[in-house]
Amino acid sequence: MARRHRLRARPRGVHGRRVSSSATLRGGEAGAALVLAAGAAVSAILGLVVMRLSPSRVRDYGYRRPRRARAALWFIPAAATVLIILGTQGVRVDASTVAAYGVLVAAVALNEETWFRGIVFAILHARSTRTAVIGSSVLFGVLHLANLASGSDVGSSILQVAFAALFGLVAAQLLVLTGSLWPAIAWHAAWNFVSFIGGDATDSRSLVGLGAACVVMLGYAVFLGRRMSSRPDGATTTDAPALP
C-alpha cells in the first residue's frame, strides 16, 4: 500500500524508500515513478511465476472474475474512499507525471496483491480463513515499518502501519467474499493514484478527507466481517474462495 508521501522533490517508493537524487535529476518525478514501476512489475511477475509453478492454478489464488459483488455492496464503500481523497486533495501534478503515476500504481497494486492477498493469504488459509484474513493484513501493515529505515518519524510510521493493516483487512475480506483479487487490485491502484496525483497534501482539508476515508474503510471492514460466514473455529465455509 503506497504511503502518503511526497514524490515531488525526492521520490519515495511505495514503502517509503527514497529514490536516489540522481534518478530524480535524470528523469524527474515521472522518471522516478517509472523506475519504481519497473521494479514492482518484476516482483509481480515473480509472484505469478510462483503461483504458476505451485500445485494450484493461478485462478485458485484469486485471479478470476469476482462473484457475490452484491454481498460486498457492489464495492461502493471502497470507491467512496477514493472519491473522498480525490475531492479533498484534487490534482496537483502535471499531465506527464499523472501518466507515470498511472503506470506505477498499476504495477504496485498487482505486485502487492499478488504476494499478500494471493500467496501469503493462500499459505495462511491452510490453517483457517480467519487466520488468513488477520495474518495477511497484520503482516502487510508491519512490513510498512520499513519506512523507519528511510528516515520517517516513529509516529508517522505507526500510523502508516495501522492504515496499511486496515486496508489489508478489507482487501482480504473482499477476497473471501468474491473469490477474486481484482476488486482489491482495482481499489489499491485507485487509492494510490489519487493520493499521488494530489501531491500527498497535508493541509487541513486533505487530512480531514483522509480521516473521513478511514472511517468509511473501518465501517466497511465491520460490514464485510459480518457478511463473512464462518464457523466458530474460523474454518473455511462456502463463502470463502477455494484457495489452496
Coordinates of all heavy atoms in Angstrom, one line a residue, residues 85-180:
I85 N -10.8 11.1 -1.2 CA -9.4 11.6 -1.3 C -9.3 12.5 -2.5 O -8.7 13.6 -2.4 CB -8.4 10.5 -1.4 CG1 -8.5 9.6 -0.1 CG2 -7.0 11.0 -1.6 CD1 -8.1 10.4 1.2
L86 N -9.8 12.1 -3.6 CA -9.8 13.0 -4.8 C -10.4 14.3 -4.6 O -9.9 15.3 -5.0 CB -10.4 12.2 -6.0 CG -10.4 12.9 -7.3 CD1 -9.0 13.2 -7.8 CD2 -11.2 12.1 -8.4
G87 N -11.6 14.3 -3.9 CA -12.3 15.5 -3.7 C -11.7 16.5 -2.8 O -11.8 17.7 -2.9
T88 N -10.9 16.0 -1.8 CA -10.3 16.8 -0.8 C -8.9 17.2 -1.2 O -8.4 18.3 -0.8 CB -10.3 16.2 0.6 OG1 -9.6 14.9 0.5 CG2 -11.7 16.0 1.1
Q89 N -8.2 16.5 -2.0 CA -6.8 16.8 -2.5 C -6.8 17.4 -3.8 O -6.0 18.3 -4.1 CB -6.0 15.5 -2.5 CG -5.4 15.1 -1.1 CD -4.3 14.1 -1.3 OE1 -3.7 13.7 -0.3 NE2 -4.0 13.6 -2.4
G90 N -7.6 16.9 -4.8 CA -7.6 17.4 -6.1 C -6.4 16.9 -6.9 O -5.8 15.9 -6.5
V91 N -6.0 17.5 -8.0 CA -4.9 17.1 -8.8 C -3.8 18.2 -8.7 O -4.1 19.4 -9.1 CB -5.3 16.9 -10.3 CG1 -4.1 16.5 -11.1 CG2 -6.4 15.8 -10.4
R92 N -2.6 17.9 -8.3 CA -1.6 18.9 -8.0 C -0.3 18.5 -8.8 O 0.8 19.1 -8.4 CB -1.3 19.0 -6.5 CG -2.6 19.2 -5.7 CD -2.3 19.5 -4.3 NE -3.5 19.6 -3.5 CZ -3.6 20.1 -2.3 NH1 -2.5 20.6 -1.7 NH2 -4.8 20.1 -1.6
V93 N -0.3 17.7 -9.8 CA 0.9 17.4 -10.5 C 0.5 17.6 -12.0 O -0.6 17.6 -12.4 CB 1.3 15.9 -10.3 CG1 1.7 15.7 -8.8 CG2 0.3 14.9 -10.6
D94 N 1.6 17.6 -12.9 CA 1.4 17.9 -14.3 C 0.9 16.6 -15.0 O 1.0 15.5 -14.4 CB 2.6 18.4 -14.9 CG 3.8 17.6 -14.8 OD1 3.7 16.3 -15.0 OD2 4.9 18.1 -14.4
A95 N 0.5 16.7 -16.3 CA 0.0 15.6 -17.0 C 0.9 14.5 -17.2 O 0.5 13.3 -17.1 CB -0.5 16.1 -18.4
S96 N 2.2 14.8 -17.5 CA 3.2 13.7 -17.7 C 3.4 12.9 -16.4 O 3.5 11.6 -16.5 CB 4.5 14.2 -18.2 OG 5.1 15.1 -17.2
T97 N 3.3 13.5 -15.3 CA 3.5 12.8 -14.1 C 2.3 12.0 -13.7 O 2.4 10.9 -13.2 CB 3.8 13.9 -12.9 OG1 4.9 14.7 -13.3 CG2 4.1 13.2 -11.6
V98 N 1.1 12.5 -14.1 CA -0.1 11.8 -13.8 C 0.0 10.4 -14.6 O -0.4 9.4 -14.1 CB -1.4 12.6 -14.3 CG1 -2.6 11.7 -14.4 CG2 -1.6 13.7 -13.4
A99 N 0.4 10.5 -15.8 CA 0.5 9.3 -16.6 C 1.5 8.3 -16.0 O 1.3 7.1 -16.0 CB 0.9 9.6 -18.1
A100 N 2.6 8.8 -15.6 CA 3.7 7.9 -15.0 C 3.1 7.3 -13.7 O 3.4 6.1 -13.4 CB 4.9 8.7 -14.7
Y101 N 2.4 8.1 -12.9 CA 1.8 7.5 -11.7 C 0.7 6.4 -12.0 O 0.6 5.5 -11.3 CB 1.1 8.6 -10.9 CG 2.1 9.4 -10.1 CD1 1.8 10.7 -9.7 CD2 3.3 8.9 -9.7 CE1 2.6 11.5 -8.9 CE2 4.2 9.6 -8.9 CZ 3.8 10.9 -8.5 OH 4.7 11.7 -7.8
G102 N 0.1 6.6 -13.2 CA -0.9 5.5 -13.6 C -0.2 4.2 -13.8 O -0.7 3.2 -13.4
V103 N 1.0 4.2 -14.4 CA 1.8 3.0 -14.6 C 2.3 2.5 -13.3 O 2.2 1.3 -13.0 CB 3.0 3.3 -15.5 CG1 3.9 2.1 -15.7 CG2 2.5 3.8 -16.9
L104 N 2.8 3.4 -12.4 CA 3.3 3.0 -11.1 C 2.2 2.3 -10.3 O 2.5 1.2 -9.7 CB 3.8 4.2 -10.4 CG 4.3 4.0 -8.9 CD1 5.4 2.9 -8.9 CD2 4.7 5.3 -8.3
V105 N 1.1 2.9 -10.1 CA 0.1 2.3 -9.2 C -0.5 1.0 -9.7 O -0.8 0.1 -8.9 CB -1.1 3.3 -9.0 CG1 -0.6 4.6 -8.3 CG2 -1.9 3.6 -10.2
A106 N -0.5 0.8 -11.1 CA -1.0 -0.5 -11.6 C 0.0 -1.6 -11.3 O -0.4 -2.7 -10.8 CB -1.2 -0.3 -13.1
A107 N 1.3 -1.3 -11.4 CA 2.3 -2.3 -11.1 C 2.4 -2.6 -9.6 O 2.5 -3.8 -9.3 CB 3.7 -1.7 -11.6
V108 N 2.3 -1.5 -8.8 CA 2.4 -1.8 -7.4 C 1.2 -2.6 -6.9 O 1.3 -3.5 -6.1 CB 2.4 -0.4 -6.6 CG1 2.2 -0.6 -5.1 CG2 3.8 0.3 -6.9
A109 N 0.0 -2.2 -7.4 CA -1.2 -3.0 -6.9 C -1.2 -4.4 -7.3 O -1.5 -5.3 -6.5 CB -2.5 -2.3 -7.5
L110 N -0.7 -4.7 -8.6 CA -0.6 -6.1 -9.0 C 0.4 -6.8 -8.1 O 0.2 -8.0 -7.7 CB -0.2 -6.1 -10.5 CG -1.3 -5.8 -11.5 CD1 -0.7 -5.7 -12.9 CD2 -2.3 -7.0 -11.5
N111 N 1.5 -6.2 -7.9 CA 2.6 -6.8 -7.1 C 2.2 -7.1 -5.7 O 2.3 -8.3 -5.2 CB 3.8 -5.9 -7.1 CG 4.9 -6.4 -6.2 OD1 5.3 -7.6 -6.3 ND2 5.5 -5.5 -5.4
E112 N 1.7 -6.1 -5.0 CA 1.4 -6.3 -3.6 C 0.2 -7.2 -3.3 O 0.1 -8.0 -2.4 CB 1.2 -5.0 -2.9 CG 2.4 -4.1 -2.9 CD 2.4 -2.9 -2.0 OE1 1.3 -2.5 -1.5 OE2 3.4 -2.3 -1.7
E113 N -0.8 -7.1 -4.2 CA -2.0 -8.0 -4.1 C -1.6 -9.5 -4.4 O -2.1 -10.4 -3.8 CB -3.2 -7.5 -4.9 CG -3.7 -6.2 -4.5 CD -4.0 -6.1 -3.0 OE1 -4.6 -7.1 -2.5 OE2 -3.7 -5.1 -2.3
T114 N -0.7 -9.6 -5.4 CA -0.3 -11.0 -5.8 C 0.4 -11.7 -4.6 O 0.1 -12.8 -4.3 CB 0.7 -10.9 -7.0 OG1 0.0 -10.5 -8.2 CG2 1.3 -12.3 -7.3
W115 N 1.3 -10.9 -3.9 CA 2.0 -11.5 -2.8 C 1.2 -11.6 -1.6 O 1.2 -12.7 -0.9 CB 3.3 -10.7 -2.6 CG 4.3 -11.0 -3.6 CD1 4.7 -10.3 -4.7 CD2 5.2 -12.2 -3.7 NE1 5.7 -10.9 -5.5 CE2 6.0 -12.0 -4.8 CE3 5.3 -13.3 -2.9 CZ2 7.0 -13.0 -5.2 CZ3 6.3 -14.2 -3.2 CH2 7.1 -14.1 -4.4
F116 N 0.6 -10.5 -1.2 CA -0.1 -10.5 0.2 C -1.5 -11.2 0.1 O -1.8 -12.0 1.0 CB -0.2 -9.1 0.7 CG 1.1 -8.6 1.2 CD1 1.9 -7.8 0.3 CD2 1.6 -8.9 2.5 CE1 3.1 -7.3 0.8 CE2 2.8 -8.4 2.9 CZ 3.6 -7.6 2.1
R117 N -2.3 -10.8 -0.7 CA -3.7 -11.4 -0.8 C -3.7 -12.6 -1.7 O -4.7 -13.4 -1.7 CB -4.7 -10.4 -1.3 CG -5.6 -9.8 -0.2 CD -4.8 -9.0 0.8 NE -4.2 -7.8 0.2 CZ -3.5 -6.9 0.9 NH1 -3.1 -7.1 2.2 NH2 -3.0 -5.8 0.3
G118 N -2.6 -12.9 -2.4 CA -2.6 -14.1 -3.2 C -1.8 -15.2 -2.5 O -2.3 -16.1 -1.9
I119 N -0.5 -15.0 -2.5 CA 0.4 -16.1 -2.0 C 0.4 -16.2 -0.5 O 0.2 -17.3 0.1 CB 1.9 -15.9 -2.5 CG1 1.9 -16.0 -4.0 CG2 2.8 -16.9 -1.9 CD1 3.2 -15.6 -4.7
V120 N 0.6 -15.1 0.2 CA 0.6 -15.1 1.7 C -0.8 -15.6 2.2 O -0.8 -16.5 3.1 CB 1.0 -13.8 2.3 CG1 0.8 -13.8 3.8 CG2 2.4 -13.4 2.0
F121 N -1.8 -15.1 1.7 CA -3.2 -15.5 2.1 C -3.4 -17.0 1.9 O -3.9 -17.6 2.7 CB -4.2 -14.7 1.3 CG -5.6 -14.9 1.8 CD1 -6.2 -14.0 2.6 CD2 -6.4 -16.0 1.4 CE1 -7.5 -14.2 3.1 CE2 -7.7 -16.2 1.8 CZ -8.3 -15.3 2.7
A122 N -3.0 -17.5 0.7 CA -3.1 -18.9 0.4 C -2.4 -19.8 1.4 O -2.9 -20.8 1.9 CB -2.7 -19.2 -1.0
I123 N -1.2 -19.4 1.8 CA -0.4 -20.2 2.7 C -1.1 -20.2 4.1 O -1.2 -21.2 4.7 CB 1.0 -19.6 2.9 CG1 1.8 -19.8 1.6 CG2 1.8 -20.2 4.0 CD1 3.1 -19.0 1.5
L124 N -1.5 -19.0 4.6 CA -2.2 -18.9 5.9 C -3.6 -19.6 5.8 O -4.1 -20.0 6.9 CB -2.3 -17.5 6.3 CG -1.0 -16.8 6.6 CD1 -1.2 -15.3 6.9 CD2 -0.2 -17.5 7.7
H125 N -4.2 -19.6 4.7 CA -5.5 -20.2 4.5 C -5.5 -21.7 4.9 O -6.6 -22.3 5.1 CB -6.0 -19.9 3.1 CG -7.5 -20.3 2.9 ND1 -7.9 -21.4 2.4 CD2 -8.6 -19.5 3.2 CE1 -9.2 -21.4 2.3 NE2 -9.7 -20.3 2.8
A126 N -4.4 -22.3 4.8 CA -4.3 -23.7 5.1 C -4.7 -24.0 6.6 O -5.2 -25.0 6.9 CB -2.9 -24.3 4.9
R127 N -4.5 -23.0 7.4 CA -5.0 -23.1 8.8 C -6.4 -22.7 9.0 O -7.2 -23.5 9.6 CB -4.1 -22.2 9.7 CG -2.6 -22.6 9.8 CD -1.9 -21.7 10.7 NE -2.4 -21.7 12.1 CZ -2.0 -22.6 13.0 NH1 -1.2 -23.6 12.7 NH2 -2.6 -22.6 14.2
S128 N -6.8 -21.6 8.5 CA -8.2 -21.2 8.5 C -8.4 -19.9 7.8 O -7.4 -19.1 7.5 CB -8.8 -21.0 10.0 OG -8.2 -19.8 10.6
T129 N -9.6 -19.6 7.4 CA -9.9 -18.3 6.8 C -9.6 -17.1 7.7 O -9.0 -16.1 7.2 CB -11.4 -18.3 6.3 OG1 -11.7 -19.4 5.5 CG2 -11.7 -17.0 5.6
R130 N -10.0 -17.3 8.9 CA -9.8 -16.2 9.9 C -8.3 -15.9 10.0 O -7.8 -14.7 10.0 CB -10.4 -16.5 11.2 CG -10.2 -15.4 12.2 CD -10.8 -15.7 13.6 NE -12.2 -15.9 13.5 CZ -12.8 -17.0 13.7 NH1 -12.2 -18.1 14.0 NH2 -14.2 -17.1 13.7
T131 N -7.5 -16.9 10.1 CA -6.0 -16.8 10.2 C -5.5 -16.1 9.0 O -4.6 -15.2 9.1 CB -5.3 -18.1 10.4 OG1 -5.8 -18.8 11.6 CG2 -3.8 -18.0 10.4
A132 N -6.0 -16.4 7.8 CA -5.5 -15.8 6.6 C -5.9 -14.4 6.5 O -5.0 -13.5 6.1 CB -6.1 -16.6 5.4
V133 N -7.1 -14.0 6.9 CA -7.5 -12.6 6.8 C -6.7 -11.8 7.7 O -6.2 -10.7 7.4 CB -9.0 -12.5 7.1 CG1 -9.4 -11.1 7.3 CG2 -9.8 -13.2 6.0
I134 N -6.6 -12.2 9.0 CA -6.0 -11.4 10.0 C -4.4 -11.4 9.8 O -3.8 -10.4 9.8 CB -6.3 -11.9 11.4 CG1 -7.8 -11.7 11.7 CG2 -5.5 -11.1 12.5 CD1 -8.3 -12.3 13.0
G135 N -3.9 -12.6 9.6 CA -2.5 -12.7 9.4 C -1.9 -11.9 8.2 O -0.9 -11.2 8.4
S136 N -2.6 -12.0 7.1 CA -2.1 -11.3 5.9 C -2.2 -9.8 6.1 O -1.3 -9.1 5.6 CB -2.8 -11.8 4.6 OG -4.2 -11.4 4.7
S137 N -3.2 -9.3 6.7 CA -3.4 -7.9 6.9 C -2.4 -7.4 7.9 O -1.8 -6.3 7.8 CB -4.8 -7.5 7.4 OG -5.1 -8.2 8.6
V138 N -2.1 -8.1 9.0 CA -1.1 -7.7 10.0 C 0.3 -7.6 9.4 O 1.0 -6.7 9.6 CB -1.2 -8.6 11.2 CG1 0.0 -8.3 12.2 CG2 -2.5 -8.4 12.0
L139 N 0.6 -8.7 8.7 CA 1.9 -8.7 8.0 C 2.1 -7.6 7.0 O 3.1 -6.9 7.0 CB 2.1 -10.1 7.3 CG 3.4 -10.2 6.6 CD1 4.6 -10.2 7.6 CD2 3.5 -11.6 5.9
F140 N 1.0 -7.3 6.3 CA 1.1 -6.2 5.3 C 1.3 -4.9 6.1 O 2.1 -4.0 5.6 CB -0.3 -6.1 4.6 CG -0.3 -5.1 3.5 CD1 0.6 -5.2 2.4 CD2 -1.3 -4.1 3.5 CE1 0.5 -4.2 1.4 CE2 -1.4 -3.2 2.5 CZ -0.5 -3.2 1.4
G141 N 0.7 -4.7 7.2 CA 0.9 -3.5 8.0 C 2.3 -3.4 8.6 O 3.0 -2.4 8.5
V142 N 2.7 -4.5 9.2 CA 4.0 -4.5 9.9 C 5.2 -4.2 8.9 O 6.1 -3.5 9.3 CB 4.2 -5.8 10.6 CG1 5.7 -6.0 11.1 CG2 3.3 -5.9 11.8
L143 N 5.1 -4.7 7.7 CA 6.2 -4.5 6.8 C 6.4 -3.0 6.4 O 7.4 -2.6 5.9 CB 6.0 -5.3 5.5 CG 6.2 -6.8 5.7 CD1 6.0 -7.6 4.4 CD2 7.6 -7.1 6.2
H144 N 5.4 -2.2 6.7 CA 5.5 -0.8 6.4 C 6.4 -0.1 7.5 O 6.6 1.1 7.4 CB 4.1 -0.1 6.4 CG 3.4 -0.4 5.1 ND1 2.9 -1.6 4.8 CD2 3.1 0.4 4.0 CE1 2.3 -1.6 3.6 NE2 2.5 -0.3 3.1
L145 N 6.8 -0.8 8.5 CA 7.8 -0.3 9.4 C 9.1 0.0 8.7 O 10.0 0.7 9.3 CB 8.0 -1.2 10.6 CG 6.9 -1.3 11.6 CD1 7.2 -2.4 12.7 CD2 6.8 0.1 12.3
A146 N 9.2 -0.5 7.5 CA 10.4 -0.2 6.7 C 10.6 1.3 6.5 O 11.7 1.8 6.2 CB 10.4 -1.0 5.4
N147 N 9.5 2.0 6.6 CA 9.5 3.5 6.5 C 10.5 4.1 7.5 O 11.1 5.1 7.2 CB 8.2 4.1 6.7 CG 7.2 3.7 5.6 OD1 7.6 3.4 4.5 ND2 5.9 3.7 5.9
L148 N 10.7 3.4 8.6 CA 11.6 4.0 9.6 C 13.1 4.0 9.1 O 13.8 4.9 9.4 CB 11.6 3.1 10.9 CG 10.3 3.2 11.8 CD1 10.3 2.2 12.8 CD2 10.2 4.6 12.4
A149 N 13.4 3.0 8.3 CA 14.8 3.0 7.7 C 15.0 4.1 6.7 O 16.2 4.4 6.4 CB 15.0 1.6 7.0
S150 N 13.9 4.7 6.2 CA 14.1 5.8 5.2 C 14.1 7.1 5.8 O 14.1 8.2 5.1 CB 13.0 5.7 4.1 OG 11.7 5.9 4.7
G151 N 14.0 7.2 7.2 CA 14.1 8.4 7.9 C 12.7 9.0 8.3 O 12.7 10.1 8.9
S152 N 11.7 8.2 8.2 CA 10.3 8.6 8.6 C 10.3 8.6 10.2 O 11.0 7.8 10.8 CB 9.3 7.7 8.1 OG 9.2 7.7 6.7
D153 N 9.5 9.5 10.7 CA 9.5 9.6 12.2 C 8.6 8.4 12.7 O 7.8 7.9 11.9 CB 8.9 10.9 12.6 CG 7.5 11.2 12.1 OD1 7.3 11.7 11.0 OD2 6.5 10.8 12.8
V154 N 8.8 8.1 13.9 CA 8.1 6.9 14.5 C 6.6 7.1 14.4 O 5.8 6.2 14.1 CB 8.5 6.7 16.0 CG1 7.7 5.6 16.6 CG2 10.0 6.4 16.0
G155 N 6.1 8.3 14.8 CA 4.6 8.5 14.8 C 4.0 8.3 13.4 O 3.0 7.6 13.3
S156 N 4.6 8.8 12.4 CA 4.1 8.7 11.0 C 4.1 7.2 10.6 O 3.2 6.7 9.9 CB 4.9 9.5 10.0 OG 4.7 10.9 10.3
S157 N 5.2 6.5 10.9 CA 5.4 5.1 10.6 C 4.3 4.2 11.2 O 3.8 3.3 10.6 CB 6.8 4.6 10.9 OG 7.7 5.3 10.2
I158 N 4.0 4.5 12.5 CA 3.0 3.8 13.2 C 1.6 4.0 12.6 O 0.8 3.0 12.4 CB 3.0 4.1 14.7 CG1 4.3 3.7 15.4 CG2 1.7 3.6 15.4 CD1 4.4 4.1 16.8
L159 N 1.3 5.2 12.2 CA 0.0 5.5 11.6 C 0.0 4.8 10.2 O -1.1 4.3 9.8 CB -0.1 7.0 11.4 CG -0.4 7.8 12.6 CD1 -0.4 9.3 12.3 CD2 -1.7 7.4 13.2
Q160 N 1.1 4.7 9.5 CA 1.1 4.0 8.2 C 0.9 2.5 8.4 O 0.2 1.9 7.6 CB 2.4 4.3 7.5 CG 2.7 3.5 6.2 CD 1.7 3.9 5.1 OE1 1.0 4.9 5.3 NE2 1.7 3.2 4.0
V161 N 1.5 2.0 9.4 CA 1.3 0.6 9.7 C -0.2 0.3 10.0 O -0.8 -0.7 9.5 CB 2.2 0.1 10.9 CG1 1.7 -1.3 11.4 CG2 3.6 0.1 10.5
A162 N -0.8 1.1 10.8 CA -2.2 0.9 11.2 C -3.1 1.0 9.9 O -4.0 0.2 9.7 CB -2.6 1.9 12.2
F163 N -2.8 2.1 9.1 CA -3.6 2.2 7.9 C -3.5 1.1 6.9 O -4.4 0.6 6.4 CB -3.3 3.6 7.2 CG -4.0 3.7 5.9 CD1 -5.3 4.2 5.9 CD2 -3.4 3.4 4.7 CE1 -6.0 4.3 4.7 CE2 -4.1 3.5 3.5 CZ -5.4 4.0 3.5
A164 N -2.2 0.6 6.7 CA -2.0 -0.5 5.8 C -2.6 -1.7 6.3 O -3.2 -2.5 5.5 CB -0.5 -0.7 5.7
A165 N -2.6 -2.0 7.6 CA -3.3 -3.2 8.1 C -4.8 -3.1 7.9 O -5.4 -4.1 7.6 CB -3.0 -3.3 9.6
L166 N -5.4 -1.9 8.1 CA -6.8 -1.8 7.9 C -7.1 -2.0 6.4 O -8.1 -2.7 6.1 CB -7.3 -0.4 8.3 CG -8.7 0.0 8.0 CD1 -9.7 -1.0 8.7 CD2 -9.0 1.4 8.5
F167 N -6.4 -1.4 5.5 CA -6.6 -1.6 4.1 C -6.4 -3.1 3.8 O -7.3 -3.7 3.1 CB -5.6 -0.8 3.3 CG -5.7 -1.1 1.8 CD1 -6.5 -0.2 1.0 CD2 -5.1 -2.1 1.2 CE1 -6.7 -0.5 -0.3 CE2 -5.2 -2.4 -0.2 CZ -6.0 -1.5 -0.9
G168 N -5.4 -3.8 4.3 CA -5.2 -5.2 4.1 C -6.3 -6.0 4.6 O -6.7 -7.0 4.0
L169 N -6.9 -5.6 5.7 CA -8.1 -6.4 6.3 C -9.2 -6.3 5.3 O -9.8 -7.4 5.0 CB -8.5 -5.8 7.6 CG -9.7 -6.3 8.3 CD1 -9.5 -7.8 8.6 CD2 -10.1 -5.5 9.5
V170 N -9.6 -5.1 4.8 CA -10.7 -5.0 3.9 C -10.4 -5.8 2.6 O -11.3 -6.5 2.0 CB -11.0 -3.5 3.6 CG1 -12.2 -3.4 2.6 CG2 -11.4 -2.8 4.9
A171 N -9.2 -5.6 2.1 CA -8.8 -6.3 0.9 C -9.0 -7.8 1.0 O -9.5 -8.5 0.1 CB -7.4 -5.9 0.4
A172 N -8.5 -8.4 2.1 CA -8.6 -9.8 2.4 C -10.1 -10.2 2.5 O -10.5 -11.3 2.0 CB -7.9 -10.2 3.6
Q173 N -10.9 -9.4 3.1 CA -12.3 -9.7 3.3 C -13.0 -9.7 1.9 O -13.9 -10.6 1.6 CB -13.0 -8.7 4.2 CG -12.6 -8.8 5.6 CD -13.1 -7.6 6.5 OE1 -13.2 -6.5 6.0 NE2 -13.5 -7.9 7.7
L174 N -12.6 -8.8 1.0 CA -13.2 -8.8 -0.3 C -12.8 -10.1 -1.1 O -13.6 -10.6 -1.8 CB -12.7 -7.6 -1.1 CG -13.3 -6.2 -0.6 CD1 -12.6 -5.1 -1.4 CD2 -14.8 -6.2 -0.9
L175 N -11.6 -10.5 -0.8 CA -11.1 -11.8 -1.5 C -12.0 -12.9 -1.0 O -12.4 -13.8 -1.8 CB -9.7 -12.0 -1.2 CG -9.1 -13.4 -1.6 CD1 -9.2 -13.6 -3.1 CD2 -7.7 -13.6 -1.1
V176 N -12.3 -13.0 0.3 CA -13.1 -14.1 0.8 C -14.5 -14.1 0.2 O -15.0 -15.1 -0.1 CB -13.1 -14.0 2.3 CG1 -14.1 -15.1 2.9 CG2 -11.7 -14.3 2.9
L177 N -15.1 -12.9 0.2 CA -16.5 -12.8 -0.3 C -16.6 -13.0 -1.8 O -17.6 -13.5 -2.2 CB -17.0 -11.4 0.1 CG -17.4 -11.2 1.6 CD1 -17.9 -9.8 1.9 CD2 -18.6 -12.2 2.0
T178 N -15.6 -12.5 -2.5 CA -15.8 -12.5 -4.0 C -15.0 -13.6 -4.7 O -15.2 -13.9 -5.8 CB -15.4 -11.2 -4.6 OG1 -14.0 -11.0 -4.5 CG2 -16.2 -10.0 -3.9
G179 N -14.0 -14.2 -3.9 CA -13.1 -15.2 -4.5 C -12.2 -14.6 -5.5 O -11.5 -15.4 -6.3
S180 N -12.0 -13.3 -5.6 CA -11.2 -12.7 -6.6 C -10.3 -11.6 -6.0 O -10.6 -10.9 -5.1 CB -12.1 -12.0 -7.7 OG -11.3 -11.3 -8.6

